[in-house]
Amino acid sequence: MSRIDQIGEVLISEEEIIKRAKELGEKITMDHENDDVILVGILRGAVMWMTELMKHIKLDLTIDFMVCSSYGSSTKTSGVVKIDKDLNSDIHGKSVIIVEDIVDSGVTLSYLKSYLAGRHPKSVEICSLLDKPSGRRADIEPDYYGFTVDDRFIVGYGLDYDQRFRQLPYISYLKQNDAGSRLPEEE
Ligand code: IMP
Ligand code: MG
């Protein structure tokens, strides 16, 4: 079975994602008219979403990236957040918008939010492409999100399974995983 046969049908098309990025970009522009905004992309999952989203934010903003991990190489969360690359920018007094691919358990973002809040920004918000409320373990909600997804293992538009499928220009899911978001062999 070739890897691409593991992928189900398109759940969210590229056109729908671009339309949503435009809507959220306009909303962020209005909400942050007078703020010094910095977009903080979480690598690698947020890369496509951040690229599309920032085209539609008409503010004098800056961007930076962090690398952190709460998952191992597959689909099971470890519950532990590790910062592999920190910001290069000073965020003191700035309006930080963390740009993420998906809020699942919320463990990563809840940790990151308080980690960045410790540097005294004006605010720390979250803009996630996807929200998967069924996976939630931490008490956290994205301030802005593109779409809600159900309890499946999502791939595409930056999201990976074992580092694969990030380049798909749409949102899909792993077919063998219809029963839930954790693959059986991972349990
Ligand atoms: P958390 O469980 O909310 O902490 O999510 C941590 C990270 O796990 C996300 O940023 C994603 O990179 C990854 N993740 C969670 N759910 C999925 C999924 O359905 N597909 C691919 N990656 C996921
Ligand atoms: Mg991620």
Side-chain angles (χ1 to χ4, degrees), residues 83-165:
I83 307 257
D84 300 316
K85 183 221 167 279
D86 210 325
L87 294 176
N88 295 117
S89 322
D90 181 9
I91 58 168
H92 191 107
K94 295 193 181 173
S95 297
V96 176
I97 303 177
I98 302 174
V99 182
E100 244 298 32
D101 51 0
I102 188 167
V103 188
D104 181 15
S105 72
V107 169
T108 311
L109 282 171
S110 116
Y111 177 83
L112 270 183
K113 228 182 146 167
S114 44
Y115 180 77
L116 294 179
R119 296 181 191 170
H120 309 289
K122 181 178 176 192
S123 59
V124 184
E125 292 180 307
I126 295 162
C127 179
S128 183
L129 168 59
L130 301 174
D131 185 16
K132 196 198 280 184
S134 58
R136 204 71 95 246
R137 286 196 284 136
D139 182 19
I140 195 153
E141 298 303 329
D143 302 273
Y144 307 92
Y145 67 93
F147 305 89
T148 301
V149 288
D150 56 19
D151 190 19
R152 296 201 246 200
F153 198 80
I154 302 295
V155 292
Y157 219 83
L159 289 97
D160 72 304
Y161 168 57
D162 210 6
Q163 300 304 328
R164 304 290 165 164
F165 311 122

Side-chain angles (χ1 to χ4, degrees), residues 23-34 59:
E23 287 168 5
L24 289 181
E26 284 166 4
K27 179 149 178 35
I28 290 171
T29 305
M30 285 192 308
D31 292 351
H32 291 283
E33 262 179 337
N34 304 311
L59 297 170

Side-chain angles (χ1 to χ4, degrees), residues 9 13-14 21 24 81-82 100 109 113 128 165 174 181:
E9 73 270 22
S13 70
E14 188 173 19
L24 289 181
V81 181
K82 207 166 120 265
E100 244 298 32
L109 282 171
K113 228 182 146 167
S128 183
F165 311 122
L174 277 189
S181 70

